[in-house]
Amino acid sequence: MSAETGMTHVSVRGDGSLGAGRDIKGNALGDGSAVTYIEHQIVQEVAPWFQPSWPVLIGVLPSQAGYYQRRPLAGELAEAFESSGATGRCQVITGAGGVGKTQLAAEYARIILSASALSGAGDESVLPRSESESTPVDLLLWVNAASPQAVTDAYVVAAQVVIPGGTAGLEAHEAAQHFLAWLGTTAQRWLIVLDDVTAPSTLTGLWPPEVSVGQVLVTTRSRDAAWTTENRTLLQVDMFTPEQSATYLRRAIARPGRPEQADSDSDVAALAVDLGHLPLALAQAAAYLVDTGREVSKYRALLADRARLLAHLVPDISGLPDAQTRTVNAVWDISLALADTYRPFGLAKPMMEIAAVLSGSAVPEQLLTTSAVRSFLGRYRASIVAAGGPEESNVSYGGMVDDVDAEDALRILHRLNLLDHDPNSRTVRVHQLIRRAVREKEDVRVHFRELVSASADALMEVWPDPERDTMLALLLRTNADVLIAGSESYLWRDSAHPVLFRFGRSRGESGEVQGAVRYFERLADEAHAKLGLDHPATLAARHENAYWRGQAGDVAETLAAYKRLLTEQLRVQGPDHLHTLTTRNEVAYWQGEMGDVAGAIAATEELLVDQVRVLGPDHPLTLASRGNAAGWLGQAGDVAGSVAAYEDLLADRLRVLGPDHPETLATRGQLAHERGEAGDVAGSVAAYEDLLADRLRVLGPDHPDTLGTRNNLAAMRGYAGDAAGAVSAFDDLLTESERVLGPDHPRTLTTRGNLAFWQAELGDVLRSRSAYEDLLVDRLRVLGPDHPDTLASRSDLAAAQGEAGDVLGAVSSYEQLLADRLRVLGPDHPVTLATRSNLAGWRGDAGDLQGAIAATEGLLSDQLRVLGRDHPDTLATRNNLAGRRGQAGDVAATITAYEDLLADQVRVLGADHPSVLATRNNLAGWQGEAGDVSGARAAQADLLADRLRVLGSDHPDTLATRYNLAALQGQAGDAAGAVIAYDELLADMFRILGPHHPLAFDTFCQMQHWKGQAMSDPE
């Protein structure tokens, strides 16, 4: 005999309740239970009343669902009841339709029944400890409580059983109240389960009393605040865990008669994810798989096919498992219909439709309260009223839907467990199957175009430009991606909806550059197919595709794409169209990026004439072209002209756009950079500090432009001599960049490169080389082998090889790099010419001095032709050539070359430019090599005074000048003075560079050398 057979079982007829595992006909107690069927309406004359034999079960306790997965919440329910106070014995279970609330309540009820039966039998050994410790009851009443009438009827039946003398002749309401009064006074222990209660109001006047002998367990889809009191606890039932889902599916599909299938564990787990771990969906999917004999992988493909309805991928109603009465696609219909009757009337259902076409994982709350969404809600409600539906008297002023109405609609859906609204994160989550079921409803399909359009408009309404909040931008991209994928071409009418472009640009701006390239390539093809080759949207998509190709590093194809686009725009839109002028700007820009700086300057100057004529001098595009022209001046070597141009542009942008406009802030950053290039490193640092403060205020700490300013400031501080500060700043910035942008974002990778550079400058060469090696691997993976940043990493790594002592390895690496840069950029690109310079330098260090001289002479000839005599790179090559000729023994020619170079540098760069100071240092050094130690000392002393004034006492170049002066002091015969100078210098180097820096070590060795010389001097 089972442990349950001692119960008196009274069954109540009724419609039953809905959801996973519900509506299971029959007796859950076993074959030996006594069953008495009692009609219930108005209480009539019935058979004489008999004292019940306790314990008693009244109502139909649902049978356990097939392949049932036990959940810890059942045990937690028991603990909650046991730990509650004398009047705190009510638990309310809430959750979305299909999560298994009824099954959970039934499991707890079975635990109680088992304890009740065993308490009389005196044998608890067959139960788990937690179950055997549950408090037994004398009465368990199970009520299908969807309506007040259903609850009243159940109470009437219970009253007839337990109240002495019965309730014959009483009205149903009066009999129900007698039963509640009996519950409040009896010494018998009882449990009332009120299953599938619609709302708290359903139980008004019908709540069981709060007494120490009683327990009340409620299941509901509602999570209204009214459920929770000091004596009632609301418990949320969630989906199955991934482990529970997989276990259930494995057991449910492995049934006799089903063909043996090769369903892998990964397919089963993936199906559970596809179904969102919803128990009802898992049950119906398993039944479908058994009925059809299909493999899980095939079923997943069908489920992913948007052309197939969810209703066609589950059994018919007649074949549903566990006596379920609704398919998963319809299980939420009751809640949706109920939601639309709540105040504000008629808004919950259209709000649910908006949420259903967006991302289920997280929809920003502000997106759902936009004017676009509110207008859609208002039109929906007006259509209901126009069709004869109820007209709500308490609507917003003028009948319009305001943001309060929209927020209230969200909370209605949250209260009914149709979605989860988190006020803390201000986001909304919707289960994927609820979203699909809503989208596939016939009445939704009728106005699906309007629904998609309203959602797209809402996205554009809240999408910031620029994107200051990277997390919000990610959420908007996610929602736009879902909307676009399910829009069924409804975002294409006479043109392309702007959200199609905003989504792609945001992908690129977030660092997903290759993804932006592919996206706009597809968008251009789709625009061509839907709108035609000459449509503005098609041309705009081609423009975006070309732009992001350039950002991805494909400079040559970008320039070619823009030239092709310009030809089409001149034909279709004409030469003065804004888009045509924009493309001309891009052609000029990428012409410069290809190395034709002079051509870029000329093209930009011609463009500016037309822009001023057509758009006016203050148009943003005109100002942008002026910014490009200023930048190309600097690239051409006219740094002073570039600074002056940026200063003029900044004044105009301040006047036209204001101080906080992103373009104004960008101009300040460009000006700070050019000031550093002009030699005013301290001024550049100060400008970047001021800019950073403003970007933090305007954009916030996590904006990419703010992070970019931190990058530039850290680098400029390093150039100002604070290498240790640069390393620390880049280390902190890298942490923030990885958090905000992600580890693979191009800017994050750039920060890693900068950190490695300044680690080497600080003397940690081996660590720097290792960092460059790791960075190259990641840039090859993320950006590809031909991206400019990848090629730059190869150059950095080659230099690190040489600095670590592998000079021949550096030569080999630069040779390979030069071949690739010739192929990708061409022979005249400034970066290709720079690679030739680096290769020549390392060849000289490897011992091939004559080869290095010949290579440098050839390079100088090409730079004079391509860049011009006054370009900084040309001047730098003259410096290198002079030094190598001196190393080859032609000291007199070297001195003459440095003197000529110095005159040109002072003319071009100014007397205080760091490069000018470096040339003065080189000239003094070769004067000493020529035997003019006195002249060299005087030159170095003058240089030290200027470096102290321009760079400061702690700059590495200032320390290097002191090092050279100490050496010259020793060479002049003052060994003791040299020792003193080196000793003082060494103390500063330890403080500034650290004791392990190569220059500090070399200074220590020189000091020891001159100590030896001083000790051998008899004086």
Side-chain angles (χ1 to χ4, degrees), residues 630 632-643 674 870-872 908:
W632 291 123
L633 283 176
Q635 291 293 310
D638 186 3
V639 181
S642 177
V643 169
E674 289 300 325
D870 291 342
H871 193 282
V908 174

Side-chain angles (χ1 to χ4, degrees), residues 312-390:
H312 297 167
L313 298 174
V314 295
D316 294 331
I317 291 179
S318 60
L320 292 177
D322 301 325
Q324 296 163 7
T325 59
R326 286 180 180 269
T327 56
V328 68
N329 60 294
V331 74
W332 300 285
D333 287 353
I334 294 175
S335 297
L336 274 171
L338 179 64
D340 237 14
T341 66
Y342 283 22
R343 191 175 63 245
F345 158 76
L347 300 186
K349 184 175 181 293
M351 177 65 81
M352 191 71 212
E353 293 174 3
I354 290 285
V357 298
L358 298 170
S359 170
S361 58
V363 182
E365 177 190 298
Q366 66 190 90
L367 178 60
L368 298 173
T369 58
T370 56
S371 61
V373 169
R374 298 198 309 269
S375 296
F376 176 77
L377 301 185
R379 290 192 298 272
Y380 176 89
R381 181 165 62 185
S383 69
I384 296 297
V385 173

Side-chain angles (χ1 to χ4, degrees), residues 768-805:
S768 173
R769 177 177 176 175
S770 176
Y772 277 132
E773 289 172 340
D774 293 342
L775 176 60
L776 178 58
V777 171
D778 288 335
R779 275 183 162 159
L780 284 166
R781 172 179 55 83
V782 175
L783 304 176
D786 291 343
H787 192 282
D789 290 353
T790 306
L791 299 176
S793 283
R794 289 174 59 187
S795 178
D796 292 333
L797 180 57
Q801 282 180 282
E803 291 165 0

Side-chain angles (χ1 to χ4, degrees), residues 653-688:
R653 277 188 160 154
L654 284 166
R655 174 179 55 81
V656 175
L657 304 176
D660 292 342
H661 192 280
E663 294 300 327
T664 305
L665 298 175
T667 302
R668 288 173 58 189
Q670 292 154 350
L671 179 57
H673 171 78
E674 289 300 325
R675 282 178 174 159
E677 291 293 310
D680 184 7
V681 179
S684 178
V685 168
Y688 275 127

Side-chain angles (χ1 to χ4, degrees), residues 287-303:
Y288 179 90
L289 287 167
V290 172
D291 290 343
T292 62
R294 289 195 171 96
E295 297 179 358
V296 170
S297 58
K298 176 64 174 176
Y299 181 74
R300 290 191 64 224
L302 295 173
L303 196 63

Side-chain angles (χ1 to χ4, degrees), residues 89 110 130 174 178 203 208 250 253 261 263 282 289 327 332 342 459 517 670 697 870 877 889 992 1014:
R89 301 168 67 81
R110 280 190 289 272
S130 61
E174 186 177 1
H178 273 62
L203 299 179
R250 275 293 184 198
I253 63 178
Q261 304 288 0
D263 296 323
L282 294 168
L289 287 167
T327 56
W332 300 285
Y342 283 22
L459 279 164
V517 172
Q670 292 154 350
R697 174 179 56 81
D870 291 342
T877 299
I992 298 166

Side-chain angles (χ1 to χ4, degrees), residues 725-883:
V727 168
S728 177
F730 277 119
D731 200 28
D732 292 343
L733 177 60
L734 180 58
T735 300
E736 295 300 306
S737 295
E738 289 177 336
R739 175 183 62 82
V740 175
L741 304 175
D744 289 343
H745 193 284
R747 291 193 178 190
T748 304
L749 300 177
T750 297
T751 301
R752 288 172 57 187
N754 290 336
L755 176 59
F757 173 83
W758 289 105
Q759 285 171 337
E761 290 296 303
L762 202 56
D764 196 351
V765 177
L766 294 180
R767 185 179 180 187
S768 173
R769 177 177 176 175
S770 176
Y772 277 132
E773 289 172 340
D774 293 342
L775 176 60
L776 178 58
V777 171
D778 288 335
R779 275 183 162 159
L780 284 166
R781 172 179 55 83
V782 175
L783 304 176
D786 291 343
H787 192 282
D789 290 353
T790 306
L791 299 176
S793 283
R794 289 174 59 187
S795 178
D796 292 333
L797 180 57
Q801 282 180 282
E803 291 165 0
D806 184 9
V807 178
L808 292 177
V811 170
S812 176
S813 295
Y814 272 118
E815 287 174 338
Q816 295 172 35
L817 175 62
L818 179 59
D820 286 333
R821 277 183 162 160
L822 285 166
R823 173 179 56 82
V824 175
L825 302 176
D828 290 343
H829 194 284
V831 176
T832 305
L833 298 175
T835 305
R836 289 172 59 187
S837 176
N838 291 332
L839 176 57
W842 287 108
R843 279 179 175 163
D845 289 345
D848 184 9
L849 190 55
Q850 293 302 321
I853 290 173
T856 307
E857 289 174 338
L859 171 63
L860 180 59
S861 176
D862 287 336
Q863 285 178 324
L864 287 167
R865 173 179 56 83
V866 175
L867 304 177
R869 179 178 179 82
D870 291 342
H871 193 282
D873 290 354
T874 307
L875 298 174
T877 299
R878 288 173 61 189
N879 176 87
N880 295 338
L881 182 57

